[in-house]
Amino acid sequence: MSRLPGRNFFFQPGPTNIPDSVLAAMHRPSVDFNSPGFRTLQGNCHDRLKDIFRTRQHLVVHIANGHGAWESAMANTCAPGDHVLVPETGFFSTYWAKLCTAIGLDVETVPGDWQDGIDLERLAETLRQDQDGRLKAVCVVQNETSTGVTNDIAAVRAALDAAGHKALLLVDTISSLGSIDFRMDEWGVDVAVGGSQKGLMLPVGLSFTCVSERAMKSRRNGLIPHHYWSWEEYAPQQNRFIFPGTAPTQIFEAMAAALDIIEAEGFDNVLARHHRLASATRAAVTAWSANGGPQFFARRQDHRSNSVTAIQMPAGHDAEAFRNACANEGNLSLGGGLGPLNGKVFRIGHLGDLNEAMLFGALGVIEMQLRRQNIPHGPGGLQAAVEFLTHS
Ligand code: PLP
């Protein structure tokens, strides 16, 4: 395909835009990964990352994508045949459940139709009924990237506590870390998994697994066989900085640069910026949704995500054709629908290194394509976003 002029406007919900200073930071020669200089850089990155997870407990960094962190979380907490509960929220919870089954766990679910978050009532009932503590872990996706629904992790913790249930609480923060509030220690999360390529504005390649004292201590004989993923290989009392193998020095240089950007803006300001840009996006979608236009996939307003908005096309209009036209004619890259949502939904990823001007560009191209393709919609989406940001 020939090059389109100007910058590509990248609004995927991961990977995300990588700031120039982060790209430049990777442009460094290799260094001795056992040298004191690199160990210090790596140790500082670990400490700063823990601030993003809002934890003072353990952090294990794997050279892996999010799938690796899922597997690490399960292998270090569960034995073959253990029962785990994975409430169904969308493509990613379903995939996590599949991974659990594949490595020998017995998966139970709290069914859901993907348009709402976790059914907290049914979750509470399931936990209450599990009097003998059959369920060893509850695995929850904080932000369902496939649907644009954010789940209330504090409410899941409260459901566990109200039932007096001792299952470990495992949370996927892959598309919420650095863009949506997450509080590992305050919310009593036992294992939180994250990835480098979303809110942290890094390339894919590292996954992060934060582990509570309780989860670390609960390691027992007979866990699902693993070695590469073993937290003990990294445990602080041994040497928290040693990877089982060569450390990826350039990506740590990049992480230090990305954390510099986040800290300079102020982490709370970063979260507030995500909320503002997401709210402006929602103002646009609300306007378009009139006249039989595209609708929010996430049914409940208070569940709508600050990192991604999933938008359902009107019947008879193919979301993939729409998305391809945005890419090929507008140089705008949007996310597609995943699994059963393919062709029905497109997604605006509004997380990471983004500003108002970029968002206006994306919303303008979407609005133009709605017109150009004669897709029914209400007018004034872009104007509604401008209006919102003017007054907020
Ligand atoms: N969980 C969520 C919520 C995700 O959004 C993704 C990827 O987009 C994953 C898990 C899987 O992560 P990865 O693609 O890095 O393996």
Side-chain angles (χ1 to χ4, degrees):
M1 198 180 73
S2 62
R3 178 186 178 273
L4 292 167
R7 280 208 174 230
N8 177 246
F9 273 43
F10 197 72
F11 279 75
Q12 293 280 343
T16 63
N17 295 288
I18 303 176
D20 290 347
S21 64
V22 176
L23 285 172
M26 283 185 283
H27 220 264
R28 300 262 164 84
S30 296
V31 295
D32 176 356
F33 61 92
N34 286 312
S35 65
F38 179 71
R39 286 284 176 81
T40 302
L41 175 92
Q42 197 178 6
N44 288 342
C45 283
H46 277 236
D47 292 343
R48 297 163 80 190
L49 259 179
K50 285 191 195 180
D51 291 342
I52 306 283
F53 278 97
R54 303 203 205 255
T55 185
R56 301 264 48 88
Q57 302 184 74
H58 306 274
L59 169 68
V60 177
V61 180
H62 294 295
I63 304 169
N65 61 10
H67 279 71
W70 273 344
E71 190 150 342
S72 159
M74 304 324 297
N76 283 277
T77 54
C78 296
D82 274 357
H83 288 249
V84 297
L85 186 67
V86 188
E88 183 186 357
T89 51
F91 181 82
F92 288 105
S93 73
T94 306
Y95 231 88
W96 197 359
K98 265 191 203 158
L99 180 145
C100 290
T101 305
I103 61 175
L105 296 168
D106 197 321
V107 176
E108 300 181 23
T109 189
V110 179
D113 76 354
W114 294 25
Q115 287 191 271
D116 291 313
I118 296 173
D119 185 336
L120 287 167
E121 277 305 308
R122 286 177 89 168
L123 172 74
E125 185 52 29
T126 308
L127 294 171
R128 270 197 301 273
Q129 282 183 2
D130 184 30
Q131 302 272 341
D132 53 359
R134 185 181 73 259
L135 296 166
K136 295 291 177 262
V138 177
C139 305
V140 177
V141 177
Q142 185 186 14
N143 186 69
E144 247 303 345
T145 325
S146 59
T147 63
V149 173
T150 303
N151 288 298
D152 182 346
I153 302 303
V156 175
R157 170 82 265 161
L160 278 157
D161 292 348
H165 205 291
K166 296 284 172 268
L168 294 172
L169 174 56
L170 276 52
V171 179
D172 171 328
T173 70
I174 290 172
S175 63
S176 47
L177 189 70
S179 53
I180 295 173
D181 194 23
F182 176 74
R183 296 166 185 265
M184 162 114 181
D185 291 356
E186 191 182 319
W187 295 344
V189 173
D190 291 296
V191 182
V193 300
S196 51
Q197 76 273 23
K198 303 213 189 229
L200 292 180
M201 310 174 292
L202 291 165
V204 68
L206 292 185
S207 69
F208 315 117
T209 313
C210 276
V211 185
S212 72
E213 207 55 55
R214 182 168 89 108
M216 201 55 105
K217 288 207 177 108
S218 74
R219 283 179 54 82
R220 55 201 143 118
N221 290 334
L223 290 173
I224 289 166
H226 63 283
H227 178 73
Y228 179 70
W229 304 118
S230 175
W231 294 340
E232 285 184 347
E233 289 287 307
Y234 300 74
Q237 54 275 33
Q238 291 175 14
N239 188 334
R240 69 181 162 149
F241 303 135
I242 296 279
F243 281 98
T246 311
T249 56
Q250 280 87 357
I251 194 166
F252 272 97
E253 301 270 9
M255 197 195 301
L259 291 167
D260 283 348
I261 292 176
I262 291 173
E263 290 164 10
E265 185 175 352
F267 187 42
D268 288 338
N269 297 332
V270 170
L271 297 181
R273 172 170 52 82
H274 280 82
H275 180 69
R276 270 186 95 237
L277 295 182
S279 302
T281 306
R282 291 191 278 266
V285 178
T286 303
W288 295 330
S289 67
N291 302 340
Q295 304 290 321
F296 287 104
F297 186 74
R299 211 165 357 228
R300 278 181 47 180
Q301 276 187 30
D302 57 341
H303 283 169
R304 289 180 189 152
S305 165
N306 282 344
S307 64
V308 55
T309 298
I311 300 162
Q312 192 163 15
M313 289 303 259
H317 294 275
D318 178 19
E320 282 305 285
F322 179 77
R323 201 169 75 89
N324 288 336
C326 290
N328 299 334
E329 297 169 25
N331 212 355
L332 168 66
S333 182
L334 297 167
L338 297 176
L341 301 184
N342 189 253
K344 301 193 169 85
V345 156
F346 72 92
R347 294 173 301 149
I348 307 175
H350 32 73
L351 75 166
D353 193 34
L354 290 173
N355 60 28
E356 293 171 348
M358 294 156 92
L359 185 69
F360 292 149
L363 298 176
V365 169
I366 292 170
E367 189 158 315
M368 182 183 71
Q369 284 297 340
L370 288 172
R371 289 193 202 183
R372 203 175 262 176
Q373 298 182 39
N374 290 320
I375 295 168
H377 65 284
L382 177 58
Q383 184 55 35
V386 171
E387 195 64 25
F388 174 84
L389 289 173
T390 305
H391 301 293
S392 73

